[in-house]
Amino acid sequence: MGLKVLSALDTAKTQLYHFKAIVIAGMGLFTDAYDLFSITPVMTLVGRVYYQDKHYEIPAAVKSAMLAVALLGTATGQVVFGILGDRVGRRRVYGLALALMVLSSIGCGFSICTTRSCVLVSLGFFRFLLGLGIGGDYPLSATIMSEFANKKTRGAFIAAVFSMQGFGILASSTVTMIVCSIFDRASNYPPSNHTPMGADIAWRLILLLGALPAAMTYYWRMMMPETARYTALVERNVAQAAKDMEKVLDVSLADITEDSPVSPPPPNFPFFSNEFLRRHGRDLLSCAAAWFLVDVVFYSSNLFQSRIYTQFLPPKLSRNVYRDAFNEAKLQAIVAVCSTIPGYWVSVYFIDRLGRVKIQIMGFLFMGIGYFAIAIPYNRYWDSDHKFGFMVIYCLTFFFSNFGPNTTTFILPAELFPARFRSTCHGISGAAGKIGAIIGAVGFLWASHDRSDNGIGMQASLIILGGASLVGVAVTYLFTRETTGRSLEENEKEDEYAGVWFIRLFLHNNTASASSRLSVGEREDMSSRSTANSIRSSTPIH
């Protein structure tokens, strides 16, 4: 584009404002993970309080519905707030998403009444609203971080924001363990056939505490300036963009002020027009499809946790409700510490070294191998004396999910699209993922039942998850472009270069790292030559 303020952003050294942006944006993802993952031990407490007539077990349909309603809210929020982020501005709606998360977390904790039906309806309603806020946080956090970052370490910064999810999972487990320990000690636990009244307070308190990190971040979010890229490229106010960046960049205003501040014209085609689909349709397809596939597998794995946990938990007769929830939270924390958090931070370290595409392919591939390793000998080994081997392989699938597509699918939509459509496309990609999550949460719950219960069995279900991971490898290899080391604005000219990518994919004439170093002129030259060659060729390239 040639604007000084954008060049300054692309080449800026890592500064204090980068880390502030990571923390401010990351707290939203931290809260997201806390609220979404705390529901597993919370449902154990709810079951003990409100399902005494069902042997304290919440029906599987109720559990999946409680998860699905939050995911449906998340998908809705991603689309709605993604569109608003492009039309109204990133910063203007950023605080709204966080406020919605705070208020709905409080609503989940209070959940109005104390009868089973009323509590579940109320909890479901507030979890839907919570999902709206969580969904809004995804495209806004990713877009804001990508537009603040420099091109050399942009991937690491966005991955660091996303890695806060791991700490959110760990925090939800830690809070659950602390609350349950306090209530257990204070209750002088009654006989096993009676549920203490404090259990109804304990699960509410766990959910209420989820509002604290979001509330603590609200002020700083409202103090953030609008991103320079949005101000300069969408609002077309280059002078204001320079003033905003002068406040956070270690650079003088004179160095980033244009001699004649005329902003470049925005794309002259609307969203989802034929021109948009020609230029960016493949990118949107690749981002949405990869996110869909990884969430089918990722959220199915979360449901599978309950089957893992039962192998390591004490017999029912020796448990009380607080220790039951404590043990589930403890195992969730172990998985987070041993696989989830390391996976995130290995991604932070390697994302700008290996590139997004390689990491996504590798992650999908090893996830597939892991599921096949669990599934193929499932009936012969994993139900007997090999539960620790089962747990190790299970943790590795989480590790390669986070050191792989779970992280890269969050990063790529924030880099591949023009500023005018960036937040919207990220929201659509994320919503496709959450549709996959609903399919994974509900479909896997049904499919994993034995054939006698109209299911296909656990072994077949795990093989399907492995197959979905391999489909993710193919989608990434065939359709996903590398963005490492490239300015965000370079992607706005990708329509001139699209054909070269398909030639690279099928003929292996180039590599992602080499293509990322090509100048615009070289791309135009390559595009012209590839077009001439395809015209002369008697066999079209499919």
Side-chain angles (χ1 to χ4, degrees):
M1 289 297 183
L3 294 179
K4 293 180 181 179
V5 65
L6 302 186
S7 298
L9 281 170
D10 281 335
T11 58
K13 295 181 179 179
T14 301
Q15 301 172 22
L16 178 61
Y17 92 93
H18 288 118
F19 295 104
K20 286 180 64 176
I22 289 172
V23 172
I24 294 169
M27 277 297 101
L29 276 297
F30 178 97
T31 305
D32 299 348
Y34 181 102
D35 291 323
L36 287 176
F37 284 85
S38 62
I39 197 64
T40 300
V42 160
M43 292 307 284
T44 297
L45 292 166
V46 171
R48 191 62 187 258
V49 175
Y50 293 103
Y51 281 87
Q52 299 184 34
D53 59 329
K54 303 285 187 181
H55 305 289
Y56 309 118
E57 291 291 333
I58 298 179
V62 175
K63 287 183 180 179
S64 61
M66 202 59 62
L67 177 60
V69 73
L71 293 173
L72 182 61
T74 303
T76 305
Q78 285 173 317
V79 175
V80 171
F81 279 89
I83 294 171
L84 289 175
D86 284 333
R87 294 190 177 181
V88 181
R90 286 68 157 119
R91 189 187 71 84
R92 290 186 180 93
V93 294
Y94 206 23
L96 177 60
L98 200 66
L100 188 56
M101 291 165 61
V102 172
L103 295 176
S104 54
S105 293
I106 295 172
C108 286
F110 283 108
S111 290
I112 304 174
C113 43
T114 57
T115 62
R116 181 164 71 192
S117 298
C118 186
V119 163
L120 291 175
V121 170
S122 175
L123 184 58
F125 172 75
F126 284 111
R127 279 185 64 76
F128 178 81
L129 294 181
L130 177 63
L132 285 177
I134 289 173
D137 198 71
Y138 271 73
L140 296 173
S141 291
T143 299
I144 286 173
M145 195 66 244
S146 72
E147 293 181 345
F148 269 127
N150 63 63
K151 64 181 181 181
K152 183 178 180 181
T153 57
R154 183 178 62 236
F157 289 152
I158 305 174
V161 170
F162 194 63
S163 72
M164 297 300 287
Q165 280 196 335
F167 294 108
I169 296 170
L170 182 60
S172 71
S173 302
T174 303
V175 168
T176 300
M177 289 189 286
I178 292 172
V179 169
C180 288
S181 297
I182 293 172
F183 275 77
D184 187 22
R185 180 164 295 188
S187 67
N188 191 19
Y189 201 84
S192 59
N193 62 350
H194 178 70
T195 301
M197 295 295 295
D200 197 32
I201 301 174
W203 70 264
R204 297 172 186 272
L205 181 60
I206 293 168
L207 295 179
L208 280 169
L209 291 173
L212 285 180
M216 292 168 61
T217 315
Y218 183 80
Y219 171 78
W220 297 107
R221 281 204 176 181
M222 299 311 296
M223 291 289 93
M224 290 181 72
E226 183 58 86
T227 68
R229 284 185 161 92
Y230 183 84
T231 304
L233 301 177
V234 181
E235 294 184 336
R236 306 190 67 190
N237 190 342
V238 178
Q240 184 61 46
K243 291 178 183 177
D244 289 340
M245 287 304 99
E246 191 264 341
K247 299 175 184 176
V248 294
L249 274 176
D250 185 16
V251 63
S252 67
L253 184 61
D255 293 335
I256 57 176
T257 300
E258 303 293 329
D259 298 328
S260 54
V262 178
S263 60
N268 58 359
F269 52 88
F271 184 67
F272 263 156
S273 61
N274 289 334
E275 185 67 12
F276 171 86
L277 294 176
R278 185 180 72 83
R279 295 186 182 213
H280 307 290
R282 185 199 54 188
D283 291 334
L284 187 57
L285 171 66
S286 69
C287 291
W291 207 329
F292 173 87
L293 290 166
V294 71
D295 273 10
V296 167
V297 178
F298 186 78
Y299 281 86
S300 297
S301 300
N302 282 304
L303 279 181
F304 188 55
Q305 281 182 3
S306 61
R307 304 212 177 183
I308 294 284
Y309 292 165
T310 54
Q311 301 181 61
F312 295 89
L313 296 176
K316 273 191 174 183
L317 293 177
S318 66
R319 297 187 304 194
N320 66 35
V321 61
Y322 298 124
R323 291 173 192 165
D324 189 6
F326 179 96
N327 287 328
E328 287 198 8
K330 181 175 71 174
L331 286 170
Q332 198 172 52
I334 290 172
V335 172
V337 170
C338 294
S339 63
T340 304
I341 294 175
Y344 282 128
W345 285 96
V346 171
S347 286
V348 172
Y349 182 80
F350 283 108
I351 194 72
D352 290 310
R353 291 171 168 83
L354 297 179
R356 287 70 157 145
V357 172
K358 288 181 180 178
I359 289 177
Q360 187 161 302
I361 289 176
M362 178 193 66
F364 268 129
L365 179 62
F366 281 102
M367 286 169 64
I369 292 172
Y371 280 109
F372 288 134
I374 293 173
I376 293 173
Y378 182 84
N379 294 325
R380 199 164 25 154
Y381 294 117
W382 303 125
D383 282 338
S384 55
D385 300 325
H386 296 75
K387 61 183 182 181
F388 287 102
F390 195 112
M391 187 72 166
V392 169
I393 299 176
Y394 175 74
C395 287
L396 284 175
T397 63
F398 266 95
F399 175 83
F400 283 107
S401 172
N402 294 316
F403 179 37
N406 197 38
T407 298
T408 54
T409 52
F410 181 78
I411 295 173
L412 283 165
E415 298 181 315
L416 282 170
F417 302 99
R420 184 184 173 195
F421 307 125
R422 187 169 293 134
S423 180
T424 300
C425 291
H426 196 287
I428 291 173
S429 301
K434 291 304 169 279
I435 292 172
I438 294 171
I439 292 173
V442 178
F444 186 82
L445 186 68
W446 163 80
S448 60
H449 290 159
D450 294 331
R451 294 180 185 275
S452 58
D453 295 325
N454 298 319
I456 61 175
M458 179 63 75
Q459 185 179 36
S461 300
L462 292 171
I463 290 174
I464 290 174
L465 295 184
S469 299
L470 296 186
V471 173
V473 173
V475 168
T476 304
Y477 179 73
L478 292 174
F479 299 110
T480 304
R481 293 191 289 110
E482 184 58 75
T483 58
T484 303
R486 305 178 64 223
S487 169
L488 294 178
E489 284 67 50
E490 290 183 68
N491 293 306
E492 298 189 31
K493 295 185 175 63
E494 281 307 315
D495 60 306
E496 300 173 358
Y497 190 51
V500 180
W501 282 90
F502 284 105
I503 293 172
R504 178 180 67 81
L505 288 171
F506 286 96
L507 302 182
H508 304 284
N509 286 336
N510 209 339
T511 63
S513 59
S515 64
S516 67
R517 294 191 295 269
L518 293 174
S519 68
V520 174
E522 289 172 322
R523 288 178 193 156
E524 292 173 347
D525 180 61
M526 290 181 69
S527 180
S528 299
R529 282 183 288 165
S530 66
T531 301
N533 290 336
S534 65
I535 291 173
R536 289 193 298 267
S537 175
S538 60
T539 304
I541 298 176
H542 295 286

